[in-house]
Amino acid sequence: MTAPLDLPEIRHANVPGRLRLSVPEIRNWPNRAAALAAALSGQPGIRHAEARSVTGSVILKTDPFLSGRDARLLVARALAGKLRPATVGAANRATPKRRPGRTKSKAGTIHWHALSPDDILKTVDVSPDQGLSPNEATRRLRAHGPNLMPHEAGPSQVQMLAKQFEGLPVMMLVGSAAVSLLTGGIADAIATLTVVGVNGVLGFVTEGQAERTIHTLTDQTDHPVPVLRGGQDISVPASRLVPGDVIRLRAGLRVPADARLLSAEELFADESALTGESMPVAKSPAGTLPANTPIGSRTTMLHGGTIVAEGKGLAAIVATGARTEAAALQYLSDTASRPKAPVEAELDRLGSQLALASLAACGVFAGIGWLRGYPLAMILKDALALAVAAVPEGLPMVATSTLSMGLRKMERRGILIRQLSAVESMGALQVLCLDKTGTLTQNRMEVVEAVAGLTPVAPGDRASLSKLAEVAALNNDAGLEDGAPSGSSQTEQAVLHFAITQGIDVETLRRDRARVKTLERKPAQPWMGTCHEGAFGLELTVKGSPEAVLARCGHVLENGDVRPLSEEDKAGLLELNGRLASRPARVLAFASRPVATADTPPEDMTFLGFLAMVDPVRPGAKHLISRIRRAGIQPVLITGDQAVTAAAVAREVDLTGGGPVRVIDSTEFADMPPELLAALAGEIQVFARVASHQKLAIVKALQASGRIVAMTGDGVNDAPALAAADLGIAMGDSGTELARDVANVVIRDDNLATLVEAIAEGRGIYRNIRRSLEYLVTTNMSEIAVSILEALHGPGELETPMELLWINLVTDVLPGLGLALADPDPDIMDRPPRDAGENIVPSHDFRRMATDSSIIAAAAFFSHMAGLARYGPGPETRGMTFLTLSQAQLLYTLVCQRTDPRKLRYDRLLENRTLDLTLLASSALGALPFFSPLLRRLLGIAPLARTDLAIALGAAAVPVASVLARRSVEFEPFPGAIVKEAGAKEPENA
């Protein structure tokens, strides 16, 4: 007997025709979610199905007749493997018959490249001459949904806000507010929760603004596509295409979905966004391919997101939206999780240590009070005061504010940061993985060398290049838009741009020399011929591979004269072609001759010259790599291009600083165990012919070696690695939508020079946070020490919770921000990154911090004892202790501007104007309660006499004087130069 199916729970059904179901079985299982969505799509009554692995939910768009129970039953049957997948043919509800040659994977996915054109047409049930009927296209659109890439819903506004209140320091403050309410301290609770709220809102606003800015770059353009429907050629928005649609291919068309070629004439596709291969790939509908053929070698297929570079043809769409290869890469990106940023992990660890220390101190405190027989209310009040003293209220505020202000600086420089923590990760990274195409290079073709006749010619020699430039403009399918080349392939645009730079008026030339015939390029004919009218009759031009063109030439144009082309000349030209191709460059040869008729075959042509083209390196890339290396960051090139191309680019940008370039082809590490790849990754500078999953493996291997890794990229094939890297950096201008979606950093204008500035800013932010953190921990330790000394001395002497909270607000937030907003050190990019395992506060610094906090506590306790001697326990004594403790901490800020004492200059203690202003403001806030009766009552203090004021301020000056005197004894006095040994490295925390 069959067990009953467990039906999923309906979460939302308020919108007619839309259901959201809870499916825990797919949570954190992206592949399972994709399979479920595929199984549900096209089922009776379901117009569109989307399964989200992050939330464990399924969203269904249904026909009106489908009940909620039926929808739940379909999902349950799909989960149990009892639902037959729908087909794309006319018999959409029936099980398709298996046909010869039809191959599927174990998961049921059809390997379209392994089918012949006839099998494809039968499978998708379409006529290549008629296309789909309008009614059938509409039905399939309902069954399969729009042709759009799936998107995981980002966090809601509520989730983003809730995220800002995570973390132990925040929880401790909330806990202290709760205790305040239990003991009647309503004002204390309100003040504490205000601090928590301001910090949370600040983080929420800054991250939300960054997310909205990036989303403006990630809209999906719904471009028109030429389609054959009902025997008519029409234009259909890409989102309305369905499996079975027959599309007409032309140069410049962005392929809207995965399609199988039916016919092609000299068709080349730019697949750089999907595979990383910069050169166009030849496509042909003939034959079938093995099922395991990789994406980059599927010559019978066109995949969504690629571009038709040259030629024309017909193709049948076989997969749309979530079923395309680009979507499969997106699912792979969903499975890659980015590790927590270093500063986040370290602040969490430090927060845990502070929490444990605070709880232990409160336990000791309560034990002492219980042994002495203090009332429970007094014990809770004293423990609360100690808890408030132990938590640095400024820590979350300073860290968040510093990171958010760094984010603003980055945005002004053209870098958009999705998470605040990514700013710090920039400064901590140790390995920068660079994609070649579109990142180091410009992802376009450019003529870099010209040969007129037999001799290389400088670009400025227009006289020698005039005939070559004229033929380059005539034998060309690219058009002009606002005076710039457009349409056709990047190669054609580059050739036309060369002609323009040589002074050719392309529009006038083409009008006067109209084309009368075109000989298209073919697999067996690697050249293109055009015949043009002219003042002296017809002229035939040829452009193509140097070997093929030279074979049809009997003369050469040299220095303005035509002479016979000898075999020795041809050998020399072929040798020159080999040198140009080894750059590597794409080389085209050009020839022409006058003819009597347009049907004259291209023989006995006059050779005009070569044009060599490359995907040019971005301006400033070499300087960028130099600065990256000088900063101690290892640059690694990961590309889908051939090894010779990758090595040439690596040498051009001086990736290794003059050293040998170690290149490894993907075939050499395809089956390598992860631990071996991790060991190898640190020794290789260039990884060539790398697929998407291999890029991901390389990034993970580098991370497994304990290093912090960044990945740059712009293509769909880069997305999984971008998602997994500690820092994923996408191109905002030329990059693909998926790359921007998964990255946590977007370079708006693709200017890599700003990346170095961002790294410097990240390092500066980390150092400033570190200085602020050391200051906050030191001063809060002094408050704990004062509280314990007061409590041990006698009952009723302890500072009130509100008094300690006011001290923390005065001495934590503004001074901490003043330290955190200092400009980066001038030599910040001349030092290596910090060790990945180094604590944000090294253990040896804790000894110095403990000493400094003890001196501050001793000064405050001295003032406390003086007050007891004059007044006994009460508001006056608490006022003296309050003033000494707050002002001593503020003065101590001046000596925290350099964590390395050797960098401390007496004559520069007041050079940080931001810090100076924050100290003045904090000092005023520290003195404000003495002038406000309301604040005096809230804090439990009294006005001070002149003698009390002198004692308190004198004691407050002792700690900073002691620190300066101690550092003068321990280190060489300043101002004075420190002479370093040759090759010695200063501590990174300077």
Side-chain angles (χ1 to χ4, degrees), residues 774 777-779 781-782 785 841 843-858 892 966:
E774 291 188 0
V777 173
T778 299
T779 54
M781 287 170 60
S782 69
V841 181
S843 56
H844 59 79
D845 283 352
F846 271 112
R847 294 191 294 272
R848 172 176 53 80
M849 294 161 60
T851 301
D852 292 348
S853 65
S854 299
I855 296 173
I856 296 174
Y892 180 74
R966 175 164 48 86

Side-chain angles (χ1 to χ4, degrees), residues 23 25-26 29-43 49-53 58 60 74-75 77-86 105-109 150 322-323 327-328 331:
V23 186
E25 292 87 348
I26 65 171
W29 290 89
N31 292 335
R32 188 178 295 174
L36 178 61
L40 291 170
S41 295
Q43 295 298 328
E50 181 179 353
R52 296 178 177 175
S53 61
V58 171
L60 300 177
L74 284 172
V75 174
R77 292 182 62 195
L79 286 171
K82 300 180 178 180
L83 195 65
R84 292 192 180 108
S105 68
K106 293 180 180 179
T109 301
R323 300 168 188 81
Y331 290 131

Side-chain angles (χ1 to χ4, degrees), residues 591-673:
S592 69
R593 62 165 289 191
V595 294
T597 67
D599 296 327
T600 303
E603 301 295 342
D604 196 24
M605 306 288 291
T606 298
F607 180 75
L608 302 177
F610 291 149
L611 290 181
M613 290 157 283
V614 299
D615 181 5
V617 169
R618 289 186 180 275
K622 185 174 181 179
H623 178 64
L624 162 72
I625 296 299
S626 174
R627 293 194 65 189
I628 289 294
R629 288 198 324 271
R630 192 166 67 247
I633 300 170
Q634 177 190 354
V636 175
L637 180 59
I638 305 177
T639 178
D641 259 321
Q642 302 293 324
V644 62
T645 305
V649 171
R651 285 190 291 269
E652 187 173 352
V653 300
D654 196 16
L655 194 74
T656 60
V661 177
R662 299 183 183 90
V663 184
I664 186 171
D665 191 276
S666 62
T667 56
E668 300 178 49
F669 65 87
D671 300 321
M672 191 176 291

Side-chain angles (χ1 to χ4, degrees), residues 36-123:
L36 178 61
L40 291 170
S41 295
Q43 295 298 328
I46 295 182
R47 298 182 177 182
H48 178 65
E50 181 179 353
R52 296 178 177 175
S53 61
V54 174
T55 58
S57 60
V58 171
I59 299 174
L60 300 177
K61 293 181 180 179
T62 65
D63 288 330
F65 65 80
L66 188 70
S67 67
R69 188 182 185 285
D70 289 342
R72 295 166 65 197
L73 183 60
L74 284 172
V75 174
R77 292 182 62 195
L79 286 171
K82 300 180 178 180
L83 195 65
R84 292 192 180 108
T87 69
V88 296
N92 197 41
R93 307 296 181 239
T95 304
K97 296 181 180 179
R98 190 161 181 91
R99 299 183 177 93
R102 181 169 180 174
T103 58
K104 289 188 176 184
S105 68
K106 293 180 180 179
T109 301
I110 299 174
H111 296 298
W112 301 104
H113 54 276
L115 302 182
S116 67
D118 289 339
D119 283 336
I120 289 288
L121 294 173
K122 293 175 183 177
T123 303

Side-chain angles (χ1 to χ4, degrees), residues 196-218:
V196 174
V198 170
N199 176 69
V201 170
L202 179 62
F204 169 74
V205 170
T206 51
E207 288 198 11
Q209 288 177 342
E211 195 72 18
R212 285 191 296 274
T213 303
I214 290 179
H215 279 167
T216 63
L217 298 173
T218 59

Side-chain angles (χ1 to χ4, degrees), residues 361-362 364-370 372 374 378-379 381-386 783-800 804 861 864-865 868 873 878 881:
C362 289
V364 172
F365 223 63
I368 294 174
W370 179 74
R372 290 190 172 186
Y374 295 162
M378 179 180 291
I379 291 175
K381 182 180 178 181
D382 289 351
L384 172 62
L386 184 59
E783 293 173 21
I784 294 174
V786 170
S787 299
I788 292 176
L789 290 171
E790 288 179 339
L792 292 175
H793 189 261
E797 298 181 12
L798 195 66
E799 305 296 292
T800 65
L804 288 172
F861 192 65
H864 178 77
M865 295 301 295
L868 286 177
R878 280 198 294 271
T881 309

Side-chain angles (χ1 to χ4, degrees), residues 807-822:
I807 290 177
N808 277 357
L809 292 177
V810 167
T811 63
D812 281 4
V813 180
L814 290 179
L817 284 175
L819 287 171
L821 296 180

Side-chain angles (χ1 to χ4, degrees), residues 7 67 174 265 311 389 441 496 503 546 570-571 579 620 626 631 746 819 836 866 919 944:
L7 301 186
S67 67
V174 173
E265 296 180 23
T441 63
L496 187 60
K570 289 185 178 181
R579 290 201 303 269
S626 174
V746 176
L819 287 171
L919 288 182
L944 298 182

